[in-house]
Amino acid sequence: MPSLRARIVNLLLPRLGIKRFFSEPDKIPGRIAKMRNTAPARPGAKMHRKFAIKEFASRGFPVITIEPKHGATPGAPHLLYLHGGGYVMDAAVIHWSAIGRLCEALGASATVPLYPLAPESTASATLPAMRSVFAELALRYGAQNITLMGDSAGGGMALALAQILAADGAAMPGSLVLFSPWLDATASGEGQAEIEPRDKMLTCAGLTACGALYAGDLPLTDPQVSPLFGSLKALPPMAVFAGTSDILLPDARRLAVRLDEAGRKDCVYHEYDAMFHVWMLFPVPEGRKALAQAVDFIRAQHKKG
């Protein structure tokens, strides 16, 4: 059974308005237009006390770097974190707190691109931009020393980026971590409709609508948009986290099956009973446990590298 705190958070999730956003696909374009009038959340005062935080805009979109005040621990990995938000929403406060906890636990630095959002940008433009960010970090830190990670849409983007790097024979990150990843933009996985009533954040129709905005001229099944349908060859060790009260659960399960069938013993799958979408970002015991598991996985893969 979920912790009391997790149950309370789950009851309060509808107040965030995310479920309402995804429940009315015809209103999504207008709501996106209104959201663009609000600046993305930035790291708060607590993070500034612990980390040296810088923001760069030379790429045409903000890229935020986070480093412990006294410098990263020697030999620590560097995190490239791609935030979720259905490809149409900016990073939220909970993203920064979770990234801060990861950096603190690992003694690591991190790069967080506030990447161009749909519909203003689509996968055909956003993924090359993220590849450019990764290439720059690979030169600075060494590709093997980078953990590529993301939640929800950011998790899908992270996997798609890794697939593109692998297809091109490029240097790969040392590990890949996916939190509640959105891997199939068609939102047609078996069981998703049955899960939807207990998911307090997402709907199938809303996901498909946002997926179409991000896809642009690409079909929703294109691996750039739905990396579940892409190749898993030559990918780095991977940790995947999913909850059974999340309509993206079937995406993660299908990925786990494919990895198992490929004999990928270096990949791990964590499924939490009755946990909601991106619970690992929230201040609940299960969230702390998931982040600790991610830290252990990253640390183990980094030592191997």
Side-chain angles (χ1 to χ4, degrees), residues 141-196:
Y141 299 101
Q144 184 65 26
N145 296 322
I146 296 171
T147 291
L148 176 59
M149 61 192 312
D151 67 279
S152 194
M157 189 184 297
L159 180 56
L161 175 57
Q163 290 171 337
I164 291 170
L165 293 169
D168 289 347
M172 299 297 290
S175 60
L176 187 61
V177 178
L178 311 181
F179 294 143
S180 299
W182 182 19
L183 306 174
D184 177 2
T186 70
S188 59
E190 183 177 353
Q192 285 187 296
E194 288 73 22
I195 298 171
E196 184 174 312

Side-chain angles (χ1 to χ4, degrees), residues 251-301:
D251 288 13
R253 283 181 172 175
R254 285 182 288 168
L255 176 60
V257 168
R258 288 192 61 198
L259 291 169
D260 185 62
E261 290 175 346
R264 291 296 303 270
K265 303 300 183 184
D266 56 353
C267 297
V268 297
Y269 173 66
H270 298 284
E271 184 173 299
Y272 279 58
D273 184 50
M275 290 310 297
F276 46 86
H277 186 57
V278 296
W279 81 91
M280 64 291 298
L281 306 183
F282 287 82
V284 298
E286 295 87 348
R288 290 191 290 271
K289 180 180 178 180
L291 289 185
Q293 289 173 318
V295 165
D296 289 344
F297 176 80
I298 294 168
R299 189 178 284 128
Q301 301 310 317

Side-chain angles (χ1 to χ4, degrees), residues 47-163:
M47 282 193 67
H48 278 276
R49 287 194 293 269
K50 294 182 178 181
F51 300 98
I53 299 174
K54 299 178 181 178
E55 182 170 331
F56 304 90
S58 60
R59 293 182 176 276
F61 54 87
V63 176
I64 295 176
T65 62
I66 300 167
E67 185 174 0
K69 281 281 178 90
H70 300 294
T73 300
H78 183 80
L79 311 180
L80 173 55
Y81 194 98
L82 304 178
H83 70 83
Y87 298 115
V88 301
M89 300 178 187
D90 283 308
V93 172
I94 58 170
H95 287 112
W96 297 116
S97 59
I99 293 166
R101 291 196 296 273
L102 288 166
C103 288
E104 196 168 17
L106 290 161
S109 55
T111 296
V112 185
L114 300 185
Y115 53 81
L117 301 172
E120 295 91 339
S121 182
T122 62
S124 297
T126 303
L127 282 168
M130 295 305 98
R131 179 172 183 172
S132 178
V133 171
F134 177 82
E136 183 178 308
L137 296 176
L139 287 174
R140 185 180 308 169
Y141 299 101
Q144 184 65 26
N145 296 322
I146 296 171
T147 291
L148 176 59
M149 61 192 312
D151 67 279
S152 194
M157 189 184 297
L159 180 56
L161 175 57
Q163 290 171 337

Side-chain angles (χ1 to χ4, degrees), residues 230-249:
S231 173
L232 301 183
K233 291 182 180 179
L235 295 181
M238 190 184 318
V240 183
F241 293 78
T244 63
S245 290
D246 180 356
I247 64 172
L248 297 184
L249 172 69

Side-chain angles (χ1 to χ4, degrees), residues 21-25 28 86 182 187 196 202-212:
F21 177 91
F22 282 102
S23 295
E24 300 174 309
I28 284 177
W182 182 19
E196 184 174 312
L202 304 175
T203 73
C204 294
L207 286 174
T208 303
C210 289

